[in-house]
């Protein structure tokens, strides 16, 4: 397993000017620095790759999906914009050496209103068709997509692994899988260990935060059991701490790094 930390713990948005974060992450013992790409124009992936190699850390890519980047939207401009943004993320991943483009890329985050059955069908079809097309583009560059399920306050689209499996089956591309985030799973899954088993070999990426969204180990989630379940399904992928910067980014990242190393050795 490789441990990572999300840029959100320190900066928003990540940019060329915040490149020193890579070294901070490396010094804390992380293998991965995950950039939450809010503004693709804010950094140069060639420069970031060069700095990452110099520091000795891998950089991964996660997307940020506002209303105007919604590939399931009824608005064709938003769909086009979302497609262009995700293609840019795939290009960036290829330059940076990130095996995945991860995140809740099927729809806009924050769209938590329950859609009608008709709306849902239509938006689902847009998302599935567009993700199939994007999966083809990603495959041509050797990149995989990891779709993140979110809690109900952040999306009405995919809240559980069960729902995600339906979407993955409909997309039907083997370079598309799951990103599971312990914070969201704790709010949505009846049994998060069963959900991890259900995702099984389709699990490509993990985000970890505790039930409070603070650093893992500071709340009431049973990470020992979570890691045992990951081991049981043979998961050997990325584990990125994506938690709130409390009391500050440095302290949260340090707490996450120390706890993850401890828990995985138990
Ligand atoms: C949002 O809550 C989240 O978990 C992020 O990974 C989405 O990009
Ligand atoms: Mn997440």
């Amino acid at each position: 397993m490789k441990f990572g930390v999300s840029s959100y713990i320190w900066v928003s948005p990540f940019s060329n000017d915040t490149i020193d974060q890579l070294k901070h992450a490396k010094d804390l013992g992380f293998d991965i620095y995950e950039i939450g790409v809010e503004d693709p124009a804010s950094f140069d992936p060639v420069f970031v790759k060069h700095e990452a190699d110099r520091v000795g850390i891998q950089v991964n890519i996660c997307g940020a999906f506002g209303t105007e980047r919604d590939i399931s939207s009824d608005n064709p401009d938003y769909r086009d914009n979302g497609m262009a943004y995700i293609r840019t993320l795939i290009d960036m991943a290829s330059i940076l050496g990130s095996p995945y483009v991860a995140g809740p890329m099927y729809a806009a985050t924050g769209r938590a209103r329950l859609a009608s059955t008709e709306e849902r069908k239509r938006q689902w079809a847009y998302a599935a068709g567009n993700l199939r097309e994007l999966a083809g583009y990603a495959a041509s560059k050797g990149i995989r997509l990891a779709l993140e399920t979110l809690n109900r306050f952040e999306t009405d689209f995919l809240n559980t692994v069960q729902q995600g499996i339906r979407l993955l089956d409909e997309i039907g591309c083997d370079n598309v899988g799951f990103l599971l985030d312990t914070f969201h799973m704790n709010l949505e899954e009846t049994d998060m260990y069963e959900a991890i088993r259900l995702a099984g070999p389709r699990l490509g990426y993990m985000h970890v935060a505790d039930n409070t969204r603070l650093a893992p180990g500071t709340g009431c989630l049973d990470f020992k059991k979570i890691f045992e379940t990951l081991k049981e399904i043979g998961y050997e992928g990325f584990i990125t701490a994506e938690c709130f910067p409390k009391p500050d980014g440095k302290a949260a990242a340090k707490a996450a790094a120390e706890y993850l190393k401890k828990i995985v050795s138990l």
Side-chain angles (χ1 to χ4, degrees):
M1 276 178 201
K2 282 187 168 180
F3 291 121
V5 62
S6 164
S7 57
Y8 291 132
I9 209 167
W10 282 300
V11 291
S12 174
F14 175 84
S15 73
N16 281 350
D17 297 336
T18 58
I19 195 76
D20 59 334
Q21 301 302 327
L22 269 54
K23 172 98 169 56
H24 291 188
K26 173 76 182 179
D27 289 347
L28 287 171
F30 288 109
D31 312 298
I32 312 281
Y33 185 84
E34 181 189 295
I35 302 178
V37 184
E38 290 161 276
D39 176 10
S42 69
F43 67 93
D44 170 8
V46 175
F47 166 69
V48 173
K49 171 70 173 149
H50 182 266
E51 286 302 300
D53 288 347
R54 196 177 60 77
V55 164
I57 198 163
Q58 183 177 325
V59 173
N60 282 354
I61 288 287
C62 187
F65 300 90
T67 309
E68 295 177 14
R69 290 177 182 160
D70 187 346
I71 63 166
S72 72
S73 172
D74 285 330
N75 181 325
D77 292 339
Y78 294 172
R79 290 201 303 276
D80 289 351
N81 202 35
M83 293 295 278
Y85 169 69
I86 298 170
R87 278 194 206 96
T88 302
L89 297 185
I90 293 167
D91 294 343
M92 280 181 161
S94 165
I95 295 168
L96 289 163
S98 167
Y100 279 91
V101 168
M105 62 195 86
Y106 42 81
T109 308
R111 210 184 61 190
R113 183 185 59 87
L114 278 181
S116 70
T117 310
E118 277 315 302
E119 273 177 301
R120 238 183 139 63
K121 263 195 186 155
R122 199 170 54 235
Q123 292 166 358
W124 186 273
Y126 281 138
N130 283 335
L131 283 166
R132 197 174 304 122
E133 192 179 322
L134 290 164
Y137 182 64
S140 75
K141 302 208 160 206
I143 305 292
R144 307 176 70 81
L145 305 178
L147 312 189
E148 181 174 18
T149 57
L150 297 178
N151 76 72
R152 67 194 65 187
F153 306 107
E154 295 183 42
T155 190
D156 65 354
F157 205 100
L158 282 193
N159 302 123
T160 63
V161 168
Q162 189 86 55
Q163 292 166 343
I165 284 177
R166 245 191 74 216
L167 184 61
L168 292 185
D169 286 347
E170 203 165 315
I171 297 165
C173 300
D174 60 11
N175 64 330
V176 188
F178 281 109
L179 157 57
L180 296 181
D181 180 321
T182 54
F183 170 75
H184 298 297
M185 290 175 89
N186 179 56
L187 291 165
E188 293 297 340
E189 300 288 357
T190 314
D191 177 336
M192 83 157 81
Y193 315 106
E194 270 311 306
I196 290 171
R197 289 186 193 103
L198 196 57
R202 289 167 134 175
L203 179 59
Y205 210 102
M206 285 292 296
H207 279 168
V208 286
D210 223 308
N211 63 303
T212 52
R213 200 142 205 185
L214 299 182
T218 59
C220 65
L221 293 192
D222 187 344
F223 280 98
K224 186 164 181 290
K225 197 164 170 191
I226 291 169
F227 276 90
E228 279 166 5
T229 312
L230 290 171
K231 202 166 165 197
E232 184 191 313
I233 66 160
Y235 181 76
E236 288 179 347
F238 306 108
I239 310 270
T240 296
E242 188 194 48
C243 32
F244 286 150
K246 282 191 181 169
D248 56 63
K250 193 172 174 195
K254 188 165 180 285
E258 285 170 2
Y259 183 76
L260 290 172
K261 258 178 246 153
K262 190 181 87 186
I263 200 80
V264 81
S265 67
L266 290 182

